[in-house]
Amino acid sequence: MTNDGKEYYYYPLVRKIYKDHMQRREAGTGLASLLPGARTSVYYTFSEKSSDYPEEKIQLIKYWYKNNSGYPIMLPYSYQVSWQKVYQYPKKSGIYYGSFPYTKKLVKEPRITKFVDLTPDRLYFKADIGFQDSTSLYITGLPDANPEGHTYIQKIDTESGKIIWTYTPKVIITLLKVICTVILEELFLAITIDRGLPVPIGSLL
């Protein structure tokens, strides 16, 4: 932020300043802004439910994205990764009626040069990316469609899509521990007051 209250986006590695999000987005999307020597990085995301193709299931997508080192990177939002009909409308101005040809696409961003369904045989419920880097991928989700199910954490092999390990936090045990702790604290507080002893400040919060 400058002294006059204006905010800018500064990228120190390339010494570039963008005055607003629009400029930053233009530098981080499309093919026109790619520079010679642009690199390709691998990322992961979950697709969203499609309104155009409701039969398509949620997929764990591995994709290859071209970007300029040090410049803005605009990865697609989750709602931008969804199977959709991309219509080929006439380029001339005017009013047109009737049906138009379309193609089925998962992503529109041309910087995504390739993508694969990393786990084609799996079904996902309330799934999310927990953490990802160049060699590791951790996801979370529910085991089935029951919204009251216990959330799992899984480490996924980034090449094969196989589950390396799964951990499901013991939610019930955790809740029991919390309940037992509260009961013990209340019992301690009652005994303390009954004996006329000073009450710890933390017990009154």
Side-chain angles (χ1 to χ4, degrees):
M1 179 179 290
T2 61
N3 291 333
D4 59 2
K6 294 182 179 179
E7 291 186 351
Y8 295 89
Y9 299 94
Y10 178 57
Y11 287 76
L13 292 180
V14 293
R15 298 183 179 181
K16 287 287 185 178
I17 296 178
Y18 302 97
K19 66 178 182 179
D20 53 32
H21 179 68
M22 182 62 69
Q23 277 193 351
R24 190 167 65 108
R25 184 162 186 79
E26 288 176 356
T29 57
L31 299 178
S33 56
L34 281 178
L35 302 174
R39 66 178 185 177
T40 299
S41 303
V42 176
Y43 294 94
Y44 306 88
T45 189
F46 280 103
S47 64
E48 290 288 314
K49 196 65 179 175
S50 170
S51 57
D52 289 338
Y53 299 94
E55 72 281 2
E56 290 286 356
K57 63 182 183 179
I58 303 301
Q59 297 169 289
L60 176 55
I61 300 299
K62 176 180 181 179
Y63 64 93
W64 286 256
Y65 174 89
K66 293 186 72 69
N67 62 91
N68 301 316
S69 297
Y71 285 80
I73 294 178
M74 295 293 173
L75 301 180
Y77 298 107
S78 59
Y79 67 84
Q80 294 175 322
V81 183
S82 177
W83 289 106
Q84 54 195 300
K85 296 177 180 179
V86 180
Y87 288 91
Q88 301 170 14
Y89 295 111
K91 295 182 179 180
K92 294 182 179 179
S93 60
I95 300 176
Y96 297 88
Y97 299 94
S99 59
F100 300 96
Y102 61 84
T103 55
K104 181 181 179 180
K105 287 189 175 184
L106 180 64
V107 291
K108 293 181 179 180
E109 174 54 57
R111 286 195 179 190
I112 297 178
T113 59
K114 175 186 175 183
F115 68 86
V116 295
D117 183 351
L118 191 59
T119 55
D121 298 325
R122 287 192 60 175
L123 292 176
Y124 290 102
F125 303 92
K126 205 175 181 180
D128 198 5
I129 302 294
F131 174 81
Q132 62 174 297
D133 62 17
S134 59
T135 58
S136 303
L137 174 62
Y138 299 84
I139 66 172
T140 62
L142 294 176
D144 50 42
N146 179 13
E148 303 299 324
H150 294 168
T151 299
Y152 62 74
I153 303 171
Q154 292 179 342
K155 183 176 182 179
I156 304 296
D157 187 300
T158 56
E159 295 299 324
S160 66
K162 293 181 179 179
I163 301 171
I164 298 176
W165 53 255
T166 300
Y167 171 64
T168 302
K170 303 299 182 181
V171 178
I172 296 178
I173 294 178
T174 302
L175 290 175
L176 287 175
K177 286 183 178 179
V178 172
I179 293 172
C180 289
T181 300
V182 172
I183 292 175
L184 289 174
E185 287 182 349
E186 291 180 346
L187 181 60
F188 171 76
L189 181 61
I191 294 175
T192 301
I193 295 176
D194 181 67
R195 293 183 178 180
L197 300 175
V199 177
I201 293 178
S203 300
L204 298 176
L205 300 179

